Amino acid sequence: MSASLTTRRALAAVLAAGALIGAAAMPAAADGHGHGRDNGRNHGRDHVRDHDNGRDNGRDNGRDQGRGRDHGRDNGRDNGRDNGRDHRAPSSIAIGEVQNEDGMRGDRFGRALNREWVEVKNTGRHAVNLRGYTLTDEQGNRYRFPDFRLDGRSSVKVHTGQGRNTRHDLYQDRRRQVWDDSDTATLRDDRGNIIDTESWGRRGHHHRNG
């Protein structure tokens, strides 16, 4: 009986010790589980913050790119306006006085043709080469300027008849009258752009530059 009692007491002591160890281990496991849960929450928050930061960076980059496009459009518009201003700059070459003669068709020797002329003037300070410029009437008669340098603040008369070209007189070498009592003289540059017109007739003279 004494041996059996001793065995039961030893077994009871072992079970009690095991219960104490189990009780001590449970809080530690609970702490570890709670710590893991907290780490998971923090990691989730960090992931959300990173996602939000990425979205904000994307918006900022989009705004910067949009501003870059707007800036490019503004520069393009400004350049276009500047180019337009330069393209529309008035020419210093213009038509001056016009002299047309009545009754020339009965002039047997064509002497009166040289009394018919159109003046072309340079209102600028610098000389301009008129090579390729043209002077036309309403009927399509055209005179093309030779290699002629018109000095600044000077003019040249383009005569209908024949003669020798000088610094102040040019000749179309025609045998018939060009300019009628009612007509329009049109001056174009070497690219075919109209730079000046002069009209006369029943309503008087009308001048239009460019």
Side-chain angles (χ1 to χ4, degrees):
M1 290 295 293
S2 62
S4 177
L5 180 61
T6 302
T7 301
R8 283 197 299 270
R9 289 177 180 174
L11 181 59
V14 170
L15 292 175
L20 291 175
I21 293 172
M26 287 179 64
D31 291 341
H33 181 69
H35 183 68
R37 191 162 46 198
D38 292 338
N39 287 339
R41 290 189 190 130
N42 293 333
H43 182 70
R45 293 192 194 100
D46 293 338
H47 181 70
V48 171
R49 290 194 197 99
D50 292 339
H51 181 70
D52 293 338
N53 290 334
R55 190 161 47 195
D56 293 338
N57 290 335
R59 289 183 189 137
D60 293 338
N61 291 335
R63 292 191 194 102
D64 293 338
Q65 291 176 0
R67 293 190 194 102
R69 285 194 296 269
D70 294 339
H71 185 65
R73 289 194 201 100
D74 293 339
N75 288 337
R77 292 191 193 107
D78 293 339
N79 291 335
R81 294 190 192 102
D82 293 339
N83 291 336
R85 292 190 197 102
D86 294 340
H87 182 70
R88 293 191 298 269
S91 172
S92 63
I93 304 300
I95 296 176
E97 296 183 10
V98 176
Q99 177 67 44
N100 68 304
E101 289 289 328
D102 295 332
M104 286 187 184
R105 294 176 179 84
D107 185 1
R108 181 178 300 177
F109 300 101
R111 295 174 181 174
L113 289 177
N114 286 338
R115 296 198 300 268
E116 179 183 75
W117 45 261
V118 175
E119 181 187 40
V120 176
K121 59 184 180 180
N122 182 0
T123 60
R125 295 182 300 173
H126 304 289
V128 176
N129 194 329
L130 299 182
R131 181 177 183 178
Y133 280 56
T134 59
L135 190 63
T136 57
D137 67 351
E138 290 181 349
Q139 286 72 40
N141 296 306
R142 182 177 63 177
Y143 169 73
R144 185 179 295 276
F145 284 79
D147 188 3
F148 181 81
R149 186 180 179 87
L150 183 60
D151 295 332
R153 304 282 194 268
S154 64
S155 63
V156 60
K157 292 179 180 178
V158 181
H159 302 270
T160 300
Q162 299 177 350
R164 182 179 179 181
N165 293 337
T166 66
R167 292 178 57 190
H168 302 289
D169 296 279
L170 295 174
Y171 296 86
Q172 299 191 45
D173 292 334
R174 295 183 184 273
R175 298 182 182 274
R176 294 183 180 181
Q177 181 183 9
V178 173
W179 308 110
D180 296 330
D181 295 339
S182 178
D183 212 336
T184 299
T186 302
L187 181 65
R188 291 179 172 85
D189 62 15
D190 55 351
R191 296 182 179 180
N193 300 315
I194 297 177
I195 59 176
D196 200 8
T197 61
E198 178 77 21
S199 299
W200 63 91
R202 296 178 181 177
R203 298 181 180 179
H205 280 256
H206 301 279
H207 184 86
R208 181 175 70 87
N209 185 272

